[in-house]
Amino acid sequence: MSGYAMESATPAEISTQALPPSDQWSTAPVVPAPVCRFENFLGAERAGTLLSYAISREADFHAGTVLDPLSGQVSHKGRSSLVLPVTSSVFSAHLADCLPLVQEVLGHRAALTQTLTVLTSHGEGGHYGIHTDASRVRDVGTALSAVYYLHRTPRGFGGGRLRLYDTVLADDGARPAESYRTIEPEHDTIVFFPAGAFHEVVPSTCPSGHFADHRFTLTTWISGTGPAADGPAAGSVGDPFRIWPWLAHAAERTRPLADVEHDHDGASPIALPPADPATRLTLPAPRRTS
């Protein structure tokens, strides 16, 4: 038997007030933004041609801008990159053929009718702070963002990854979470996500200093003219999260108070062609188990 005197136990109530704030339980779920990624999007030949075109237009790129949602003022705050507004019928056709599959994967039901596209270049110190793409589209609750990556092989830059932030769903509304997923800027890959999702481009390095060694993208905003159609109930197949309205709510403060007539980087909208039934992408049929 122990030689130490036993003290009687005193019951004590444990409450959240006795815990540090970081240890308090929260009922607010954190939900990742839906994302869809394709490899070998254009194929080696077309991707190489597009990269050569981007490099050849070095003199035509200009500093990328941001739009303050309250004042409407254009600035370079929080962003260091070069942009060049472009249009491409070939790229638009590829987008149109994969969008039905993208919408199925992301649980998206709005009609998409137009695109807005810029070539971007990130060199030494290139970055884009946390933001949404609400300033690029009229209805951030139904629009898609797409980022297509291009670079030399071997890669001449470091960093430049995309961070796609999760969303906290709380009683007082939605907000970006501290957690995120990282997407590598791999050549000839494209990633789709909701335009209302908070995201950023982390700083890049370019040891050679050569423009041809930069991180290039075709960044596209895909939107429509109306709200999302009614769909299946939350939790059903094809709509696992019903996250879109929450993302739009979280992005509300980043949307311009007044309609913007012109894109602040000079891009012009073009009509999205219909998907070609012969080349349209679809999900493979699931295998049956015996």
Side-chain angles (χ1 to χ4, degrees):
M1 184 173 181
S2 171
Y4 293 98
M6 298 292 291
E7 295 185 2
S8 58
T10 303
E13 180 181 356
I14 299 176
S15 67
T16 56
Q17 285 73 24
L19 299 174
S22 61
D23 291 337
Q24 292 182 13
W25 180 50
S26 172
T27 58
V30 175
V31 181
V35 61
C36 182
R37 180 177 176 270
F38 293 92
E39 299 178 347
N40 306 314
F41 182 65
L42 293 183
E45 183 177 352
R46 285 177 171 168
T49 299
L50 182 55
L51 177 59
S52 297
Y53 172 80
I55 294 171
S56 72
R57 296 291 302 272
E58 177 180 2
D60 300 316
F61 279 77
H62 59 269
T65 60
V66 297
L67 181 67
D68 186 283
L70 296 179
S71 67
Q73 296 296 311
V74 175
S75 71
H76 305 288
K77 184 178 180 181
R79 183 181 187 186
S80 177
S81 62
L82 300 174
V83 300
L84 175 65
V86 294
T87 60
S88 169
S89 59
V90 173
F91 187 71
S92 294
H94 275 69
L95 286 177
D97 284 347
C98 75
L99 277 175
L101 176 55
V102 171
Q103 290 183 277
E104 183 177 354
V105 171
L106 300 187
H108 180 271
R109 295 179 300 277
L112 299 172
T113 59
Q114 68 178 28
T115 62
L116 196 72
T117 304
V118 295
L119 263 171
T120 73
S121 168
H122 287 72
E124 183 67 32
H127 66 278
Y128 200 158
I130 300 176
H131 64 286
T132 75
D133 291 331
S135 67
R136 306 287 187 168
V137 295
R138 186 174 297 274
D139 183 359
V140 71
T142 60
L144 282 173
S145 295
V147 184
Y148 173 71
Y149 296 102
L150 293 161
H151 63 73
R152 273 181 160 183
T153 303
R155 189 185 297 185
F157 67 91
R161 299 173 184 86
L162 174 69
R163 286 180 177 175
L164 187 61
Y165 283 82
D166 301 335
T167 300
V168 177
L169 314 184
D171 292 338
D172 58 348
R175 64 182 184 275
E178 295 182 1
S179 55
Y180 56 81
R181 282 169 293 169
T182 299
I183 298 167
E184 283 285 345
E186 297 290 351
H187 179 69
D188 198 24
T189 65
I190 189 169
V191 60
F192 296 85
F193 54 91
F198 280 83
H199 57 286
E200 71 172 316
V201 179
V202 302
S204 59
T205 61
C206 185
S208 73
H210 297 153
F211 184 74
D213 285 331
H214 282 198
R215 166 196 182 272
F216 294 96
T217 73
L218 268 181
T219 302
T220 302
W221 301 279
I222 311 164
S223 58
T225 55
D230 292 335
S236 61
V237 175
D239 190 17
F241 300 119
R242 195 180 282 272
I243 186 64
W244 289 82
W246 289 97
L247 290 171
H249 187 281
E252 186 69 28
R253 294 181 181 177
T254 70
R255 185 166 58 186
L257 296 179
D259 286 340
V260 180
E261 295 183 2
H262 304 286
D263 179 72
H264 50 88
D265 279 329
S268 300
I270 63 169
L272 185 69
D276 186 337
T279 54
R280 170 177 166 169
L281 297 182
T282 58
L283 283 173
R287 292 182 179 181
R288 291 187 175 183
T289 58
S290 55

